[in-house]
Each structure stands twice: as structure tokens, then as C-alpha cells.
Amino acid sequence: MKRRSPHDESPDDAPLQALSEALAALSQAGEVRAFLEDLCTPAELEAMSDRWRVVPLLLKGVPYREIHDLTQVSVTTIGRVARTLERGAGGYAAAMQRQQSGTAAASH
């Protein structure tokens, strides 16, 4: 990971914006998966998948220790995801809402 100096208060977000737009341009889960597999290392994919796996359990109020027992995701990671759900940019919640509304629409 690149280190930012303390003077880098507002790094140029153009690369992150470009990546976000690339992901948004993909319309099928298979396309997104292929993109992620090309972009990320297996360890990065595992870390992101672990974080995503705990989101619905946290939203249901499942205790951290039980989430760990169910998923084998570390309690530290579970805590970080919980903090992000509370104080993050809202991405987890938006994705979960879209996923749930897509599931609901598909079942009708």
C-alpha cells in the first residue's frame, strides 16, 4: 500500500473515481467477479469477501463472537466492519439495500 505523507491531506481521488466508474459500468455479477479477480490478489479477495460476509450478520445484531464462530472471520475484522457500518461512507448499507431489493424483485 502506498504511504501518504502527513502533507497529503487531500490526495487526488481521480484514480479511485476511475475505479468506481469501471465497477459501476459492469452490469452482471460475473463481470464484476472477473474484474475483481483480475484486479486483486487472492488474499485481497478473501479479505474483502470476509468483510462482506459479516455485514448482514452485524445488521441482524448477531454478537461478534457468534459471527466469528459462524464465519471464522477474526473478531478484529468484525469490529472494523461494525465501525465502518456506523461511521463509514454508507457503502455497505447501500450495497446491502440494493442487493436485498434486487433479491425481492427477482422473487416476484
Side-chain angles (χ1 to χ4, degrees):
M1 179 176 282
K2 291 182 186 177
R3 300 228 181 232
R4 304 229 183 258
S5 75
H7 304 297
D8 264 343
E9 294 295 325
S10 57
D12 179 16
D13 76 340
L16 180 56
Q17 183 62 31
L19 177 61
S20 300
E21 290 170 5
L23 282 164
L26 301 171
S27 61
Q28 301 294 318
E31 294 173 332
V32 174
R33 181 182 176 137
F35 182 78
L36 290 172
E37 287 176 350
D38 288 347
L39 181 67
C40 301
T41 66
E44 291 167 334
L45 289 171
E46 181 179 17
M48 289 188 290
S49 297
D50 284 349
R51 290 179 204 134
W52 185 243
R53 284 173 58 207
V54 304
V55 169
L57 298 170
L58 286 166
L59 292 173
K60 289 179 186 172
V62 177
Y64 290 15
R65 180 57 55 191
E66 188 176 337
I67 293 172
H68 168 73
D69 292 343
L70 290 167
T71 65
Q72 299 305 302
V73 173
S74 75
V75 174
T76 302
T77 296
I78 295 165
R80 286 183 186 136
V81 173
R83 269 192 312 280
T84 303
L85 277 167
E86 290 175 12
R87 298 182 220 140
Y92 284 141
M96 184 59 64
Q97 184 177 21
R98 291 279 176 95
Q99 190 175 42
Q100 288 173 343
S101 65
T103 303
S107 65
H108 289 295

